Amino acid sequence: MLTIAQDLVDQIVAHARRDHPDEACGIVAGPVGSDHPERFVPMLNAAMSPTFYEFDSGDLLKLYRDLDARGEEPVVVYHSHTATPAYPSRTDVAYASEPAAHYLLVSTRDPAVDEVRSYRIVDGEITEEEVRCVAVLDSA
Amino acid sequence: MAVEVRIPTILRPYTAGAKAVEGTGATLDDLIADLESRHPGLRDRLVENDQLRRFVNVYLNDEDVRFLGGLTAAVAEGDNVTILPAVAGGAC
């Protein structure tokens, strides 16, 4: 299960809506090993595409340097699908490389419905999990 | 002296959990071959058909090696190499 502050989900959905019809992407960082998503980090989709996303390679290096310096890891890796359901594609699975992360998908295909779902993707296997939105995340 | 190579979480099973390892070589290709001799399996996760895999980013002193000649990039003592999996995906 992913437990996450409603405010963070709102920011992720707002990012996805803003970048529609291109895919939006980013992470929510938290202390290593905590499973606590705390710091919203929207990233540029270097592909600027409605069907693909990729963090810019320079941005990726800076992001990971910053996470290391802060003692953080990507607790949530999010991206949007803009014409298809919020379910991991074959490409998403092929690229998934953070076995400890929650992969949060937002579909913006319906302007009136925010479809937000979360998955673990480990060794090519997709496991959907419940998303529990809370007003404030309890401190660990 | 050697080159320090930072290993991402997903590849640490090949380095007994180490976040960084050391290796030697005149080029990135040599360096990866040297690492492979002590960390079997690592090369296959980085290289396919003698090219860096599409979904792996390798940085030499903070520069993406794709701009430095890929596997042929020259490395020297004291350089640092960082390996990061691409964060990417798509709708299909």
Side-chain angles (χ1 to χ4, degrees):
Chain A
M1 178 170 69
L2 169 63
T3 304
I4 185 169
Q6 182 66 53
D7 170 57
L8 289 168
V9 174
D10 292 347
Q11 290 186 74
I12 291 168
V13 170
H15 182 202
R17 292 287 180 200
R18 197 161 60 238
D19 284 9
H20 183 92
D22 286 348
E23 294 196 5
C25 55
I27 70 161
V28 185
V32 171
S34 69
D35 202 30
H36 253 228
E38 293 178 359
R39 192 167 63 87
F40 175 63
V41 188
M43 299 292 290
L44 180 76
N45 177 4
M48 292 193 192
S49 161
T51 56
F52 195 73
Y53 81 95
E54 180 166 22
F55 292 8
D56 171 78
S57 84
D59 291 352
L60 180 73
L61 181 65
K62 284 197 208 87
L63 172 68
Y64 272 78
R65 286 278 153 80
D66 191 37
L67 293 174
D68 271 356
R70 292 167 177 262
E72 291 177 339
E73 64 187 356
V75 178
V76 171
V77 178
Y78 74 85
H79 77 281
S80 62
H81 285 174
T82 58
T84 53
Y87 190 83
S89 66
R90 274 178 301 159
T91 317
D92 292 336
V93 173
Y95 277 92
S97 55
E98 290 289 354
H102 303 269
Y103 283 88
L104 192 81
L105 275 84
V106 178
S107 176
T108 54
R109 60 184 166 155
D110 183 335
V113 178
D114 295 333
E115 190 187 340
V116 178
R117 296 165 72 180
S118 182
Y119 308 85
R120 298 285 189 170
I121 306 176
V122 180
D123 293 333
E125 192 171 323
I126 302 168
T127 310
E128 183 159 13
E129 60 183 1
E130 186 188 337
V131 179
R132 190 168 68 102
C133 295
V134 294
V136 178
L137 202 60
D138 295 333
S139 54
Chain B
M1 280 299 292
V3 178
E4 187 195 56
V5 182
R6 302 184 67 158
I7 305 292
T9 310
I10 197 164
L11 297 181
R12 289 180 197 158
Y14 297 96
T15 60
K19 291 182 177 179
V21 296
E22 292 200 333
T24 56
T27 64
L28 182 62
D29 202 19
D30 294 344
L31 175 66
I32 291 172
D34 179 56
L35 295 178
E36 173 71 17
S37 68
R38 270 163 284 116
H39 310 288
L42 192 58
R43 185 176 192 276
D44 186 54
R45 299 297 301 270
L46 305 177
V47 177
E48 185 178 44
N49 300 327
D50 294 322
Q51 299 266 319
L52 280 175
R53 286 183 179 273
R54 163 76 179 89
F55 50 85
V56 173
N57 292 327
V58 179
Y59 306 88
L60 175 61
N61 302 326
D62 295 0
E63 181 87 22
D64 190 327
V65 298
R66 286 194 178 86
F67 305 118
L68 301 171
L71 287 172
T72 66
V75 297
E77 282 184 17
D79 281 352
N80 65 77
V81 168
T82 302
I83 301 168
L84 287 176
V87 180
C92 316

